[in-house]
Amino acid sequence: MVVTRCQVCDSSRLDPVIFIGYLPPVNTMPAIGTRPAEQPAYPAQVLHCRDCQLVQLGLIVDPAILFPPEYPYTSGTTKILRDNFADLSREVAALYPLGPSDLVVDIGSNDGTLLSNFSARGPVFGIEPTQAGELANHRDIPTLISFMNRQAARTAIAKKGKAKLVTATNVFAHIEDIHEIMECILELLTDDGIFVTESHYLLALIETLQYDTIYHEHLRHYSLTSLKYLLEMHGLEVIHARRIPTHGGSIRVYSARTGKYSVCKTVGEILNTEATELTPEKFHFFRSKVVQTKLDLYVLLRAIKARGQRIFGIGAPSRATTLINYVGLDDGILDCVLEIQGSYKIGKYIPGTLIPVQEESKLFQEQPDYALLLSWHIGDELMPKLSARGFKGKFIMPLPAPHVVG
Ligand SMILES: [Zn+2]
């Protein structure tokens, strides 16, 4: 479905920010050895709404294509995410303490990692559409396996009552009908309930040129300005906001029914920064810098390949598919992309290419000259680990300024 009106405010005043090209769905990966067959590709154009400031994708792809039931992502596996959820529970305890009977509901609760930080204190309940919810149930984090909708909200209330705290981390950008979800959240919340959302942050995307977070699962790229607009449409007031490091730069936003809590000064500070940093001129500058990084990366890779040296990719997160397809990397440039043992992606091709995804031990056995970090946003965590485990080559950081480390 082509977006002709803003997903939040219904305005038709949508200006193009950048066009990344036609991308294959990032989780559709053919097995190694299969002959290339017809594969869908969807245009990835990013639009900015002049009326509510929302930055959004210009095409909505059927979620059944993007999120197959075997969708493999589990949040418990990444240290930075585990740390972040522990940080969230500490922040809630300091700012808006919960009583022992107050319920916490997490939307898109995955394997229950976030809720496990709240479950020792009192009741919790997860709502999760994928099989990851079964993992949570096994860990005694009660989880309803369902998409978030009215029925799921009512089931939660029937089982556990209303929630003092509702959380939605890294799901708010993915859900198609955002207004329906907002109404479900309002239904779930007690009168003095607090809603916390964490989303990849538009300002971080602009600052560090994270065009690789643009793919069809991410329908919207939020700023505090656009989130505030959305929340206020539903009678919620932003009471606190803070930048956090997850996914290369996210924003955590607290809201509650208007007038229930005082508004922290963090809110005004962030809104002021956005007013100067998220302007049409800055978007234009962002686009030209993205194009420049593509050319710079090519120059760097060209010199390496001219010397006949080998490059392996490290990590095949969704964002790797965007980077590889946008820059135009193929199996003549990258021999392979490596994933940690147990990843379901091993044995398949990176979407849109014939670059095989293989097991990480290959890096230490074959010692290529270079390792291209496709999870570059956690490069500082990855590089020392891989060197300590015996990798002797150099690293390539593809963004924000392509360069060699080591
Ligand atoms: Zn709008």
Side-chain angles (χ1 to χ4, degrees), residues 6 9 49 52:
C6 174
C9 79
C49 172
C52 77

